[in-house]
Amino acid sequence: MNDRPILRMPDRRLRSVAAPVGEVTDEIRALADEMLRVMYAAPGRGLAGPQIGEMRRIFVMDCGWKEGAPDPCVMIDPEIVWASPETASCSEGCLSLPGITVAVTRPAAVTLRFTGLDGARHEDAFTGFAAVCVQHERDHLDGILCIDRLDAQTRAAMADVLRRIEGP
Ligand code: NI
C-alpha cells in the first residue's frame, strides 16, 4: 500500500480525538514506519496519527535530522505527566497548516510517559525544541492545533485567517 497523504485543515479528522493504541503489534510497527517516511518526505520534524487519517494515539518525531543528526522517535499512547511552570515562546508550523507560522507559548520543559516500539512504558524529559514538538504532536491526538494555543490578542488579530482555516 502507498503511504497516505498528509491531511490538511479543514479536514475534520484533524479536529477529532484519537483512540488508544494499546498493544504494539506488527501493524503498529508498520504504521510507525509509514509515519516516519511521510514525516521525512514532507519534510517535517513531527507527525501525529490523525494527520494521515489514522485515528490512534501515536506520533513520530525527529527534532535534529534537518541539522544532520537523525534521531527518529515513536511515541505511543503518550501522556504528559509533568510540565514546568516556566514557559517559552516558539515559532511553530504544522504540516496540516501549510504556510502558517504562529508564536505559541507553552511549558518550557515536559516529562512524557509513552509506550515505545518495544512495547514497554517509558518516561523521558524534554526541553527546548523537543519539548515544543512533544506538546504540539500530543495535542494533535486530541484534535488540538497550534492555532488553538494563541493568546487572545493574536487570536483577535488573526480572526479572518483562523476562520478560513476552520472552513465552512
Ligand atoms: Ni502539527
Side-chain angles (χ1 to χ4, degrees), residues 93-115:
C94 179
L95 295 173
S96 296
L97 296 168
I100 304 273
T101 307
V102 286
V104 181
T105 301
R106 301 179 185 271
V110 293
T111 302
L112 191 77
R113 187 178 296 156
F114 61 95
T115 302

Side-chain angles (χ1 to χ4, degrees), residues 33 40 54 56 70 75 94 98 110 118 128 160:
D33 286 344
Y40 286 126
E54 185 69 50
R56 289 195 276 187
M75 274 73 166
C94 179
V110 293
D118 59 0
D160 287 349

